[in-house]
Amino acid sequence: MHFRRIVKFISSRRCREVNPKNFYMKSTMLLGTRKGFIAYHSEKGRWKVENLSFEGEPVSIAYADARSGTWWAALDHGHWGVKLHRSNDRGKSWEETTAPAYPQGEEIKDGVKAYTRYIWSIANGGKSYQSRLWIGTDPGGLFVSEDAGNNFELVRSLWDHPSRKQNWFGGGRDQPGIHSVVVDPRKEDHVFIGISCAGVFETEDAGKTWNVRNKGLRADFLPDPQSNVGHDPHILVAAPTDPDVLWQQNHCGIFRSIDGAKTWQDISEPEGPARFGFGIAVADDNPDQAWVCPANSDTTRTAIKGALCICRTDDGGKSWKILRNGLPQENCFDIVYRHALASSGDAVAFGSTTGNLFFSADRGESWQTLNNYLPMVYSLQFAD
Amino acid sequence: MAIVKFTYALEKFFPGIRAIPANGNTLREVLNEVEAKYPKIQNYLLDDQGKLRDHVNIFIDGNLINDRAGLSDAFSPNSEIYIIQALSGG
């Protein structure tokens, strides 16, 4: 067989059978930090900084759209408001686009005007909608673009949801915020969002109508912990190999659903470290495997007993393994923000509030420090 | 004709930004002229509802404006309108 034909044959077999690309470690890490956008690239097993952009500016989310390779930087200028930039050349040059904006007259509450205070999540709309992009914001508005991010429109049905003004409130930020947008790869009009504080909402028609999906969650901070709305999912993710399996690190524990968020089960360790935290990551190839970054309770928000650990479950949350090898075990104050933990193949990485960046090539069994001197890390994403 | 001056901090986003004369009769009209000269600058100065951002200040002849939402503060053809950032740490 001719060499090119052999390569094509092997490639096509791989795509059809297991699509192994999904299980390989992606070679880029994008970091959104308090002082800039930082891209690391792995070459021959060594991670090096490939790009630093927007030095000095807070980057709430650094995001790579896997469909196009476009990098996005959501900036949170202290003085000048929220801005959105994109790059099609891996950060060599950037173009400012029009950030999501609330229509004239919109209010968070009666008498409180709405404007985009923070971009808290970016997600592409999937392969069926190549130009669709979702953005979640503080103060609770979800925006969608159907032209590859040139223009964004407020998703009116969610903004006008009868629960919003009465039952949504701030959690982690002063106003309600959408920090998670999870697109179902099997039917890309099917989307889950996570709101702090409101909970998990689901649309099956690309945002025309919404279902509340909080059954089984517990909001210990509310007068009624089983309230329909008012929960605080710190982050919501779906298992890539089974999108009906959803996980959330919640303010009140770790919860998992195996029925597409119709019901949630508490899978926290009652007395163990895998309970309170912010980030959660699910394995590319196993819907039962996930990692969390435990922190002390919400009263201190520090590393537990001054020592940093990651917890991994391999059985859907029935049990958790504590992973400490290579992580600081004394005088440590690091915690990990909700978007700053990610996995890719066998790799797991996280950035901390005190500017440490840790990497594991073996699913968390051992860790190496990539940097001790970064700014506070807000987001981390693996990318090609 | 009033003169509009800008904080040096805006130079990072609008390279070469310089003071400009403005004909507008209201601050809103003046800011529209500034936008025409430096496209997108209003997004930096005003929020989605057209209110002056919390950490941006405008001085007219040395006095901080009062009406941050309506931008109705009066000025004269000889006024100096100074757009600055509020100082903050971190």
Side-chain angles (χ1 to χ4, degrees):
Chain A
M1 197 180 285
H2 189 277
F3 176 71
R4 281 187 184 171
R5 283 188 187 168
I6 294 171
V7 171
K8 193 175 178 183
F9 174 69
I10 293 171
S11 300
S12 64
R13 276 177 59 84
R14 280 182 174 171
C15 288
R16 277 204 305 270
E17 289 175 4
V18 291
N19 192 12
K21 187 179 174 187
N22 289 341
F23 307 144
Y24 292 163
M25 184 193 79
K26 295 175 177 173
S27 59
T28 301
M29 279 192 279
L30 301 186
L31 275 61
T33 82
R34 192 173 189 279
K35 293 289 182 181
F37 178 110
I38 301 168
Y40 273 80
H41 187 67
S42 175
E43 292 177 25
K44 298 176 183 173
R46 290 178 61 87
W47 288 95
K48 294 181 178 176
V49 173
E50 173 189 348
N51 177 267
L52 166 62
S53 299
F54 308 107
E55 184 176 346
E57 307 296 348
V59 178
S60 59
I61 296 285
Y63 176 75
D65 187 334
R67 302 169 303 180
S68 60
T70 301
W71 288 1
W72 292 86
L75 270 57
D76 175 34
H77 292 292
H79 298 87
W80 315 109
V82 164
K83 302 289 178 280
L84 191 58
H85 297 253
R86 66 183 168 200
S87 171
N88 292 315
D89 56 9
R90 296 180 71 83
K92 293 185 182 69
S93 63
W94 292 88
E95 170 198 14
E96 184 179 341
T97 66
T98 302
Y102 287 75
Q104 288 291 307
E106 294 302 330
E107 293 182 330
I108 305 170
K109 303 275 185 191
D110 292 343
V112 182
K113 295 285 177 61
Y115 64 93
T116 304
R117 303 161 69 98
Y118 200 70
I119 290 177
W120 219 4
S121 51
I122 304 178
N124 77 61
K127 291 176 181 170
S128 307
Y129 302 103
Q130 287 289 328
S131 297
R132 182 180 288 172
L133 206 62
W134 299 96
I135 283 187
T137 69
D138 165 357
L142 177 68
F143 289 81
V144 65
S145 170
E146 299 288 359
D147 59 4
N150 293 323
N151 298 281
F152 287 90
E153 189 173 341
L154 179 67
V155 176
R156 175 62 62 182
S157 58
L158 184 68
W159 186 245
D160 291 340
H161 195 277
S163 67
R164 186 182 65 80
K165 281 190 176 178
Q166 196 64 35
N167 301 109
W168 298 19
F169 51 92
R173 300 190 58 77
D174 290 347
Q175 301 294 345
I178 298 175
H179 47 65
S180 304
V181 180
V182 178
V183 177
D184 186 339
R186 301 164 301 185
K187 178 179 177 291
E188 290 162 333
D189 285 337
H190 183 210
V191 178
F192 295 96
I193 60 170
I195 308 163
S196 289
C197 290
V200 176
F201 283 55
E202 173 197 42
T203 177
E204 297 181 81
D205 50 20
K208 293 187 182 68
T209 58
W210 293 90
N211 306 311
V212 178
R213 293 299 186 199
N214 293 328
K215 190 175 179 184
L217 298 181
R218 200 181 61 253
D220 296 334
F221 48 83
L222 288 179
D224 174 11
Q226 272 75 46
S227 174
N228 190 36
V229 176
H231 296 267
D232 188 9
H234 287 168
I235 191 80
L236 173 72
V237 296
T241 49
D242 186 351
D244 284 334
V245 177
L246 292 129
W247 301 68
Q248 62 173 284
Q249 172 67 70
N250 187 292
H251 195 87
C252 300
I254 304 165
F255 291 83
R256 184 172 184 257
S257 171
I258 57 172
D259 57 7
K262 290 183 179 60
T263 57
W264 292 94
Q265 290 78 45
D266 187 348
I267 55 168
S268 318
E269 287 182 306
E271 305 300 326
R275 190 166 49 85
F276 182 78
F278 295 93
I280 192 166
V282 182
D284 288 340
D285 55 354
N286 182 354
D288 292 332
Q289 187 175 61
W291 297 263
V292 293
C293 309
N296 257 332
S297 69
D298 58 352
T299 55
T300 61
R301 297 165 196 255
T302 53
I304 299 170
K305 295 181 179 175
L308 194 55
C309 73
I310 293 293
C311 286
R312 189 188 74 214
T313 176
D314 301 325
D315 54 13
K318 293 186 183 71
S319 64
W320 293 90
K321 182 177 183 181
I322 302 173
L323 308 166
R324 299 183 183 277
N325 185 13
L327 297 176
Q329 294 303 297
E330 59 182 4
N331 305 319
C332 170
F333 289 82
D334 301 52
I335 63 170
V336 181
Y337 280 154
R338 66 194 71 204
H339 298 110
L341 165 71
S343 71
S344 177
D346 289 337
V348 188
F350 65 96
S352 78
T353 48
T354 53
N356 293 313
L357 177 61
F358 299 104
F359 174 80
S360 168
D362 54 12
R363 300 198 182 222
E365 295 292 332
S366 62
W367 294 89
Q368 58 179 296
T369 305
L370 299 187
N371 199 326
N372 286 127
Y373 307 105
L374 290 170
M376 179 182 281
V377 178
Y378 294 141
S379 76
L380 186 156
Q381 182 199 12
F382 280 98
D384 290 321
Chain B
M1 201 177 289
I3 295 291
V4 185
K5 295 183 174 179
F6 304 95
T7 169
Y8 65 90
L10 284 165
E11 169 80 22
K12 181 162 56 172
F13 313 112
F14 302 93
I17 191 169
R18 294 289 179 270
I20 61 169
N23 293 309
N25 294 314
T26 66
L27 260 183
R28 186 79 64 190
E29 290 177 3
V30 166
L31 291 180
N32 287 340
E33 291 176 62
V34 172
E35 173 73 15
K37 177 76 174 173
Y38 300 110
K40 291 191 175 176
I41 196 170
Q42 281 203 6
N43 288 339
Y44 283 71
L45 308 178
L46 308 177
D47 69 20
D48 305 359
Q49 305 296 333
K51 176 177 172 287
L52 194 63
R53 291 193 182 278
D54 291 345
H55 299 294
V56 177
N57 286 326
I58 297 180
F59 287 81
I60 295 175
D61 298 325
N63 298 309
L64 194 60
I65 65 167
N66 292 311
D67 184 7
R68 300 177 67 88
L71 302 176
S72 63
D73 291 62
F75 57 91
S76 72
N78 297 321
S79 287
E80 180 183 277
I81 299 170
Y82 199 2
I83 298 173
I84 70 161
Q85 60 180 351
L87 299 183
S88 57

